[in-house]
Amino acid sequence: KAGVTQTPRYLIKTRGQQVTLSCSPISGHRSVSWYQQTPGQGLQFLFEYFSETQRNKGNFPGRFSGRQFSNSRSEMNVSTLELGDSALYLCASSLTGDIYGYTFGSGTRLTVV
Amino acid sequence: GIQVEQSPPDLILQEGANSTLRCNFSDSVNNLQWFHQNPWGQLINLFYIPSGTKQNGRLSATTVATERYSLLYISSSQTTDSGVYFCAVEETSYDKVIFGPGTSLSVIP
């Protein structure tokens, strides 16, 4: 079966711009969770979507938002980019949202200059 | 919220050596998972182990939930074992996933 696909793989943006990242889960998976990974803060939970509804949210400012479509594909958006938003953004898909079912994508590496 | 600690933070091994990685967590958890992140950034599930012991080839893991720790054993290490090992837990109260800071492992030939 196809894995979790994240696009784009790499992205360079300027401070103040906005960005949209995409995650296509494994077929049949209804949960998509997003994580930010930085050298200083490690892996931090952003939010989880299940059947088009945000079910959980981490401690990130409102500039970080997301959504999920009826085909379970998810997007996350970051507005008014800051240098500190430079990170590897990972999504994980699963059937129910539990970590034992997680399959991670390869990530999108965002650099803000 | 729950705190997750991992030790050691960094580890360098000669190929063929054994190692033990530790994960401590500060409160009761629903689930516990070990992941390996390879040098290219891909995260792979290793073990789902909220309690007990599991083995998969050269890797095994043990979680003692009552004492709030989990151990990951790597035997006869290979260069392909290099990367970062994370433990992650699900909080019972908030159903959120918390990752530990990771152990960075380098296996040298």
Side-chain angles (χ1 to χ4, degrees), chain A residues 33-93:
Chain A
S33 298
W34 287 90
Y35 290 85
Q36 181 196 64
Q37 186 176 23
T38 59
Q41 299 297 319
L43 273 154
Q44 292 190 285
F45 172 75
L46 280 156
F47 28 66
E48 185 222 353
Y49 285 87
F50 184 88
S51 293
E52 302 180 66
T53 301
Q54 186 181 87
R55 200 158 64 167
N56 266 311
K57 190 177 189 317
N59 298 324
F60 278 81
R63 300 186 296 107
F64 291 82
S65 63
R67 58 179 176 168
Q68 186 179 34
F69 302 94
S70 58
N71 62 357
S72 293
R73 188 178 72 86
S74 177
E75 290 181 347
M76 67 163 282
N77 184 75
V78 188
S79 62
T80 320
L81 284 166
E82 300 176 359
L83 295 179
D85 297 332
S86 295
L88 178 65
Y89 290 87
L90 293 157
C91 75
S93 84

Side-chain angles (χ1 to χ4, degrees), chain B residues 48-69:
Chain B
Y48 166 68
I49 188 159
S51 64
T53 298
K54 288 186 179 179
Q55 179 153 10
N56 185 2
R58 297 180 296 103
L59 273 58
S60 63
T62 295
T63 297
V64 183
T66 52
E67 297 187 22
R68 299 179 185 165
Y69 73 88

